[in-house]
Amino acid sequence: MSLEVVMLLAAALLCAGLFGALTQQSIVMLMMGLELMLGGVIVAAAGAWHYIAPGSADGQVIVIVAVTAMALEMAMGFAIVTALFRKREIDMTDMAAELKG
């Protein structure tokens, strides 16, 4: 696999995630779009690191840390969405915006 193919895959993931994050009103779908965008960034970073320094394991460690942080972020996000839905039956971004203040 060449670097161009890896970057094309990363760009596709980023664009699909951006489209999903900008067009969806459901909080869960918005979070899925953000997850796709982060996945695209991680694929781009891992691909670039593989072609820049193929013998080094530093890139793999950074990717594992980023994926772990991404999983923690999604778990916290889903916990907040679940708590909002159970307490006030809020599942859309419009309704969640009214919680300010």
Side-chain angles (χ1 to χ4, degrees):
M1 238 174 147
S2 66
L3 181 61
E4 291 84 14
V5 173
V6 172
M7 291 300 167
L8 187 62
L9 173 67
L13 282 172
L14 188 77
C15 289
L18 183 63
F19 177 76
L22 293 177
T23 60
Q24 299 298 320
Q25 289 186 351
S26 171
I27 297 173
V28 173
M29 294 300 289
L30 175 71
M31 289 173 38
M32 288 174 61
L34 294 173
E35 190 76 19
L36 275 174
M37 290 191 321
L38 285 172
V41 170
I42 289 172
V43 167
W49 206 288
H50 175 72
Y51 284 98
I52 291 171
S56 174
D58 294 340
Q60 294 172 359
V61 172
I62 290 174
V63 167
I64 289 173
V65 169
V67 169
T68 304
M70 194 168 70
L72 289 172
E73 172 256 335
M74 288 304 289
M76 291 299 297
F78 281 124
I80 291 169
V81 170
T82 303
L84 278 173
F85 186 76
R86 286 183 180 174
K87 186 74 172 175
R88 298 192 181 162
E89 294 190 15
I90 293 175
D91 62 345
M92 297 295 203
T93 55
D94 302 1
M95 292 184 265
E98 296 171 358
L99 294 175
K100 290 192 285 187

